[in-house]
Amino acid sequence: MTTFDVARIGPGEGSLPPRTRLRSDAPTQSLDGPWRFRLSPSPALAPQDDWTSGATDGWDEISVPSHWNMSGFGTPAYSNVQFPFPIDPPYPPDENPVGDYVRRIDVDDAIRRVTDAGGRVVLRFDGIESAADVFVNGKRLGSTRGSRLTHEFDVTDALTGEGDVVAVRVAQFSDGTYLENQDMWWLPGVFRSVALLARPIGGIDDAVLTGDFDHETGHGTVEVTTSADAVLEIPELGIRTDVAAGRSTVDAGAVEPWSAETPRLYDATLRTASETVSVRVGFRRVRAEGGVLTLNGRPIMLRGVNRHEHDPERGRVHTTELARRDLVLMKQHNINAVRTSHYPPHPEFLDLTDELGLYVIDECDLETHEYEYVSWRGNPSEDPAWEASFVDRIRRTVTRDRTHPSVIMWSLGNESGAGCNIRAMARWVRENDTTRLLHYEGDRSSRDTDVYSRMYASHDEVREIGEEAEAIPPADISAAELRRRSLPFVHCEFGHAMGNSPGGVKEYWDLYERFPRLAGGFIWEWVEHAIAIEDEHGRRAFRYGGDFGESVHDHNFVIDGLISADREPRPGLVDYAAIIAPVVIGVDADRRRIRLQNRYDHVDTDRLAFTWRREVDGEVVARGELAVPAVGPRERGEVALPVEARSVSGSRVADVLTVAAGLRDETDWAPAGHVVATGQHVAAGVPRVGPGTSPRADEFDRRGRPLRLGSLDVVEGPGIGIWRAPTDNDLFPGWDEPTLPPMAERWALARIDRMQTRVRGIDADAAALTVDTRVGAPSFDSGVDALWRWSRVPEGLLLDLDLRSIGSWDNSWIEKAPFSWTVDWARLGVDVALAGAPLGMDFAGLGPGPSYPDTDSGVHFGWFEAGADDLVTPHVRPQESGSRRGVRTAVIRTTQGAVRVSVVGGEALDAGVALTVSPWDRATLSTTSHASLLPEPTATHVSIDIAQSGVGTATCGPGVLPRYRLPARDASFALLFETV
């Protein structure tokens, strides 16, 4: 048996040239299912026995497709930029698990009839991580490189038809691993499907059908490239014509173009006497013209996300159901583009993007980010010895996926620096596909691409990029720089959605809409990569990097998605959906009209139905439909509101007019009525509170704190709080402040996480009980003075609260500190713990979900209910969450009773307060590593904040923008507590 060589520079060998993925009526036989399996610790220790001929006594069994370390054989490991072994190319470490797979098969009769007639048989692997040798009946056929790339082997002469043995030896790490450091779990194995394909004599071994659209004439053409003479049929267009082997162009006449907004597909077939292949053709033309990204002659905006393939139980194993669920969720949240980070997706995924309508940046299976650790010394991207490996990867990517209209760009890879091999990849693409644009972020010069791409550029940088296209270039500008300035800009990663985030997305989007050069961006990223396990109590729980004993890992940096691993939308997705909404609805302050901005790129607003609803103190008093004349793509309009919508009556909480735009008709991804955008006008009410008297002494403890609020005993507090349980973003230094400590560290240095309270005085008169407190940080003279005035009113217990910041909130006390900073607060408000575990709350405010100052686009004012499971976001790593902002009144329910709290005065009267109701206190949240380790709740922890800080995206990108920070400040407001 030949040596299993996993340390050689070069692509796989022995496989057939890559070809287009086509749907064929030629026989196929799936080899998915149970295989015999054996795991060895390294290639050197992998037995050299007769296993390739089927000797598998004593072996285990594994399902294909799967990853072996998600199937009970070893454990997963996660790292981002770090590499799991020394950078010593092309060598993997000696500790390198090897999995042997064996399947004994009888070839299907349908395939055998093809071979009996002189045809061939192909063995196809859609994905093996990271390198494999392939055998049939003991004969070695070749090897694979490129874990997410298809490899096919001609097995005609190796098969006997009965009792054939297919064997595969797979190494977890190889020379190919140096090209696949893609910020994800290391998950080896045969994780995509395996099949036998019959190739009949006279069949169509390869074909490409590309639809082109001329927006000036409305006509389309089909460029056909086929390996055999065939008949092309597109019944809807009345096309039935002979096409010769090679390349030809067919006039399709008037057609309906494909776009993400109108994903029109035409069923086409190519037929020979022995085979028919089917393709769904979409007519579209993508261009970079005048610094603007266009499709079918019109500028387009990419409202995108980056998507890794991830299933919490299966890893990167694809299921059609999960892929469709992802894409339906995207469409329902106004997302129109996907970057397949950082490898080509399962081929079925692109069938779905064609059908549902999403633009795709199809990325090559390439990333050498680990070389950042050695200052990019020896980076394979600039080593000619690796050229064949690089070109083979892009060749397999493009060739497989080139029939898909949804693919508008090829991406050469991710974070692999610049060099001769990147240029070689670009040359190959340009020589083989002129219908799509080229993307690559790793070379700032953009010399090999059609777009200028950046990741995590700051707001100021993005604004400058937009402006430079409109500015007069300097006289001494180089030709290369002048070309870069002429390219459309794509923000390929922004808005790092890790934990409670991302903040500051709206400000990016305002810039995209302002400057024509800016073609949009892609949030990092779509789904959290948590892995599901069964914990010691038999409960399903989620784990992240380091939880499986890895010595090299990046903790929870893999938990950074707009949806959970179980596909539950996080608040950041709801916020993003509103920011990128295809229509913007503004309601005039006098409620006489609405102003519409159509942000669709290709369609008018006729596909939407507009409704209005007026609520007063939670009761719907009027509603109706609006007749809205069609507003064209990227145009604006105004519509008068009916008289019934215009009036504003006296209210105690609010009088709210809401206008919503919903789908007029059912689509493949949402029912009729699905809301895509809303606009509101909110008129604050005037609460009524009767005269007050001093409460009874036995209602308060000796420190002047109430013993009960509503029907609930007070367990702790109330007190003043300015700290929060650090979010993931709080734990990282923002890219805008690289020399300063993370915000959480600044808070810890200022000790606002351990504030202590002193009662300075208690005074009672006929009208109120007044308590004077000072809460301060140990070792410092900074703090907050609070004057609490408690009154018993007919409605309940009234609190008038005045807050005053004292002392210095900077780092001047740190001797020889290299930089100065101000200690911004996390929040300013009242904290109280109430008896009983939380059951939920009803509230009037911004909802229905949580929000923070820089993530509040996706909430609107209303009267909402939040159950116990909805109060806080179940982040895998516990942190601050659950804030409902703009709250005017709320009923908090626990297992021991309830209390209503309402804003009745002070500066919060119009804006409301931010209300957080949590099963856990902040100290517990901040010291617990996983949500599954949080204790059973015994109390309900309530925070009523007059002000909050935003959340930002400091985990990867800028921190909290200045406008959303909370410097030390004074405040005053009044709250009413009532028994329910």
Side-chain angles (χ1 to χ4, degrees):
M1 182 178 175
T2 58
T3 301
F4 187 30
D5 187 357
V6 293
R8 58 170 183 79
I9 296 176
E13 38 83 30
S15 62
L16 296 169
R19 60 196 184 108
T20 311
R21 177 58 61 93
L22 299 168
R23 289 184 296 274
S24 169
D25 66 353
T28 65
Q29 180 178 348
S30 172
L31 301 189
D32 291 352
W35 288 56
R36 304 293 285 169
F37 181 75
R38 173 179 67 185
L39 187 66
S40 302
S42 70
L45 297 177
Q48 301 294 320
D49 52 14
D50 200 27
W51 70 279
T52 62
S53 298
T56 59
D57 289 346
W59 285 32
D60 294 302
E61 189 172 274
I62 196 170
S63 179
V64 169
S66 70
H67 304 281
W68 71 61
N69 57 358
M70 297 288 286
S71 305
F73 303 95
T75 55
Y78 164 67
S79 63
N80 176 16
V81 183
Q82 296 187 82
F83 210 48
F85 53 84
I87 297 177
D88 182 24
Y91 303 101
D94 289 344
E95 296 177 359
N96 182 16
V98 169
D100 292 333
Y101 294 75
V102 172
R103 175 93 181 252
R104 191 178 291 274
I105 64 170
D106 293 332
V107 178
D108 284 354
D109 290 343
I111 294 178
R112 295 172 71 174
R113 285 193 292 270
V114 171
T115 57
D116 289 346
R120 313 290 292 175
V121 184
V122 169
L123 174 62
R124 182 173 71 196
F125 296 90
D126 276 328
I128 303 175
E129 184 171 333
S130 72
D133 276 6
V134 178
F135 305 82
V136 171
N137 293 327
K139 177 183 178 182
R140 183 179 181 274
L141 303 179
S143 63
T144 70
R145 293 294 189 277
S147 298
R148 269 67 59 178
L149 302 171
T150 296
H151 292 77
E152 294 181 332
F153 298 88
D154 188 329
V155 295
T156 311
D157 298 333
L159 293 172
T160 66
E162 294 182 353
D164 289 305
V165 176
V166 180
V168 187
R169 174 160 281 182
V170 181
Q172 175 163 7
F173 301 121
S174 68
D175 50 276
T177 306
Y178 286 91
L179 309 184
E180 296 178 1
N181 188 24
Q182 292 148 316
D183 185 12
M184 58 189 185
W185 294 97
W186 298 98
L187 301 175
V190 183
F191 72 97
R192 286 183 181 169
S193 291
V194 184
L196 289 178
L197 313 176
R199 301 302 317 129
I201 289 287
I204 303 170
D205 286 332
D206 203 1
V208 185
L209 274 68
T210 303
D212 182 54
F213 179 72
D214 185 334
H215 67 277
E216 294 181 347
T217 66
H219 281 219
T221 57
V222 182
E223 185 177 278
V224 182
T225 304
T226 175
S227 61
D229 295 347
V231 177
L232 170 68
E233 290 191 62
I234 308 179
E236 276 192 271
L237 298 177
I239 293 175
R240 188 180 190 281
T241 186
D242 294 335
V243 290
R247 179 175 295 180
S248 56
T249 300
V250 177
D251 184 2
V255 297
E256 298 174 46
W258 186 98
S259 73
E261 296 159 12
T262 57
R264 182 69 162 91
L265 296 171
Y266 293 85
D267 290 326
T269 59
L270 274 177
R271 187 187 315 274
T272 69
S274 59
E275 184 178 21
T276 300
V277 298
S278 302
V279 177
R280 305 190 78 187
V281 176
F283 294 91
R284 86 310 174 251
R285 181 182 294 175
V286 59
R287 293 287 186 270
E289 299 174 323
V292 177
L293 178 64
T294 68
L295 186 91
N296 303 333
R298 295 191 61 87
I300 60 172
M301 182 70 75
L302 302 176
R303 304 171 174 91
V305 291
N306 286 273
R307 178 186 181 267
H308 268 290
E309 295 178 326
H310 181 74
D311 181 299
E313 273 85 20
R314 301 177 184 89
R316 284 186 288 278
V317 175
H318 165 88
T319 65
T320 304
E321 295 75 20
L322 192 60
R324 179 177 285 275
R325 187 176 177 187
D326 276 352
L327 292 171
V328 165
L329 270 175
M330 290 179 196
K331 292 288 286 189
Q332 289 175 347
H333 289 85
N334 300 324
I335 290 164
N336 73 353
V338 181
R339 176 176 173 235
T340 66
S341 49
H342 299 293
Y343 42 82
H346 190 282
E348 282 188 3
F349 181 81
L350 298 177
D351 293 334
L352 295 173
T353 56
D354 290 344
E355 171 193 331
L356 295 172
L358 289 101
Y359 303 120
V360 175
I361 297 180
D362 195 347
E363 193 146 273
C364 186
D365 193 4
L366 175 68
E367 181 170 340
T368 66
H369 205 172
E370 70 274 12
Y371 282 86
E372 184 176 292
Y373 268 78
V374 292
S375 303
W376 296 99
R377 291 188 306 274
N379 181 15
S381 296
E382 51 188 356
D383 182 349
W386 292 84
E387 179 177 327
S389 298
F390 278 63
V391 173
D392 182 69
R393 286 170 181 261
I394 195 65
R395 181 187 179 202
R396 291 182 183 276
T397 299
V398 171
T399 303
R400 192 198 73 173
D401 296 342
R402 57 191 171 180
T403 62
H404 291 283
S406 59
V407 177
I408 64 169
M409 296 187 205
W410 304 115
S411 179
L412 301 177
N414 186 64
E415 293 177 314
S416 297
C420 57
N421 295 329
I422 300 294
R423 303 208 74 179
M425 296 170 77
R427 282 195 302 271
W428 187 93
V429 176
R430 295 200 186 283
E431 291 168 359
N432 288 274
D433 182 15
T434 60
T435 68
R436 295 171 176 89
L437 304 182
L438 263 180
H439 168 274
Y440 180 62
E441 184 273 340
D443 182 355
R444 293 276 183 93
S445 74
S446 303
R447 60 184 177 178
D448 300 314
T449 64
D450 300 305
V451 295
Y452 175 43
S453 179
R454 291 283 303 281
M455 54 177 64
Y456 308 109
S458 71
H459 297 81
D460 286 342
E461 287 180 283
V462 171
R463 176 182 50 77
E464 291 167 2
I465 291 166
E467 290 174 341
E468 70 180 5
E470 302 173 356
I472 298 174
D476 59 350
I477 191 171
S478 68
E481 173 63 7
L482 189 62
R483 178 184 179 276
R484 184 198 64 77
R485 291 189 179 202
S486 73
L487 301 177
F489 172 74
V490 173
H491 212 174
C492 69
E493 293 179 23
F494 82 111
H496 196 257
M498 185 172 174
N500 185 352
S501 70
V505 172
K506 180 182 183 300
E507 287 68 29
Y508 277 120
W509 216 265
D510 288 344
L511 291 168
Y512 302 160
E513 291 288 341
R514 177 181 169 189
F515 295 104
R517 183 189 186 191
L518 308 183
F522 296 78
I523 291 285
W524 186 268
E525 63 178 305
W526 173 242
V527 63
E528 298 174 353
H529 301 211
I531 287 182
I533 60 135
E534 184 178 289
D535 70 10
E536 60 273 19
H537 304 293
R539 302 173 303 184
R540 187 169 182 267
F542 287 119
R543 295 294 180 259
Y544 48 71
D547 289 337
F548 299 96
E550 314 100 293
S551 61
V552 176
H553 64 86
D554 283 287
H555 303 280
N556 67 319
F557 211 72
V558 78
I559 310 297
D560 53 357
L562 292 174
I563 61 172
S564 74
D566 280 340
R567 273 52 187 182
E568 298 165 338
R570 296 301 198 203
L573 176 59
V574 178
D575 185 59
Y576 190 45
I579 291 168
I580 64 176
V583 292
V584 178
I585 305 170
V587 182
D588 283 359
D590 61 7
R591 297 190 176 182
R592 290 185 173 275
R593 62 183 176 179
I594 61 170
R595 300 174 187 268
L596 294 178
Q597 179 187 358
N598 181 2
R599 298 199 300 191
Y600 285 115
D601 298 318
H602 289 94
V603 298
D604 61 31
T605 55
D606 268 352
R607 60 172 49 194
L608 302 176
F610 292 82
T611 58
W612 64 272
R613 181 182 72 253
R614 183 168 164 246
E615 296 171 276
V616 178
D617 290 345
E619 179 183 353
V620 177
V621 298
R623 67 195 322 158
E625 296 184 4
L626 281 178
V628 177
V631 179
R634 289 290 167 183
E635 294 181 357
R636 298 172 185 264
E638 297 179 0
V639 181
L641 286 165
V643 174
E644 306 94 312
R646 297 179 183 178
S647 57
V648 177
S649 60
S651 63
R652 293 196 173 190
V653 178
D655 183 321
V656 182
L657 175 64
T658 304
V659 179
L663 295 179
R664 188 177 299 278
D665 301 310
E666 181 183 12
T667 68
D668 290 339
W669 48 269
H674 170 77
V675 174
V676 301
T678 59
Q680 281 193 322
H681 177 263
V682 180
V686 179
R688 298 174 181 88
V689 179
T693 60
S694 183
R696 300 193 317 269
D698 62 1
E699 294 181 281
F700 286 74
D701 67 13
R702 296 177 64 181
R703 299 179 65 187
R705 301 180 302 183
L707 298 173
R708 291 175 68 81
L709 292 174
S711 62
L712 291 168
D713 291 339
V714 174
V715 176
E716 185 178 350
I720 303 303
I722 60 174
W723 180 70
R724 69 186 179 203
T727 66
D728 289 318
N729 288 305
D730 294 333
L731 296 169
F732 283 74
W735 289 19
D736 53 334
E737 295 180 319
T739 60
L740 300 186
M743 197 62 70
E745 186 176 334
R746 295 184 227 178
W747 295 336
L749 287 169
R751 302 186 180 182
I752 69 170
D753 56 342
R754 63 200 87 172
M755 304 277 274
Q756 297 175 359
T757 301
R758 178 174 68 86
V759 178
R760 303 202 299 172
I762 300 176
D763 181 54
D765 57 23
L769 172 69
T770 302
V771 182
D772 184 358
T773 67
R774 170 168 290 178
V775 57
S779 301
F780 300 110
D781 59 359
S782 51
V784 180
D785 284 348
L787 202 62
W788 311 69
R789 298 182 183 89
W790 298 95
S791 304
R792 177 61 64 183
V793 296
E795 295 80 7
L797 186 63
L798 177 67
L799 169 64
D800 282 293
L801 183 61
D802 286 316
L803 303 173
R804 297 290 179 267
S805 170
I806 62 170
S808 172
W809 293 96
D810 58 37
N811 69 327
S812 58
W813 58 273
I814 301 179
E815 292 185 11
K816 299 180 180 179
F819 300 98
S820 62
W821 65 80
T822 298
V823 181
D824 295 318
W825 293 349
R827 37 182 284 273
L828 173 61
V830 176
D831 296 335
V832 62
L834 303 173
L839 295 178
M841 67 172 173
D842 308 331
F843 67 100
L846 298 176
S851 64
Y852 289 80
D854 55 355
T855 60
D856 64 354
S857 296
V859 292
H860 60 279
F861 195 94
W863 285 261
F864 304 104
E865 296 180 4
D869 293 337
D870 302 319
L871 293 173
V872 297
T873 305
H875 293 295
V876 179
R877 188 194 73 79
Q879 57 197 276
E880 188 82 14
S881 71
S883 163
R884 265 66 175 193
R885 300 181 65 248
V887 172
R888 306 268 168 78
T889 185
V891 175
I892 302 166
R893 305 183 189 280
T894 83
T895 54
Q896 298 297 312
V899 60
R900 177 184 290 277
V901 58
S902 304
V903 178
V904 295
E907 60 186 273
L909 188 57
D910 288 335
V913 294
L915 180 63
T916 303
V917 179
S918 173
W920 302 285
D921 63 73
R922 289 183 170 87
T924 298
L925 290 171
S926 67
T927 56
T928 304
S929 61
H930 296 74
S932 61
L933 303 179
L934 288 167
E936 285 296 315
T938 58
T940 297
H941 301 271
V942 178
S943 292
I944 307 166
D945 294 333
I946 185 71
Q948 290 178 318
S949 168
V951 293
T953 58
T955 48
C956 201
V960 179
L961 296 177
R963 73 188 74 175
Y964 299 121
R965 296 196 175 191
L966 180 58
R969 55 163 289 189
D970 301 339
S972 62
F973 58 110
L975 302 173
L976 176 65
F977 298 91
E978 301 174 75
T979 301
V980 179

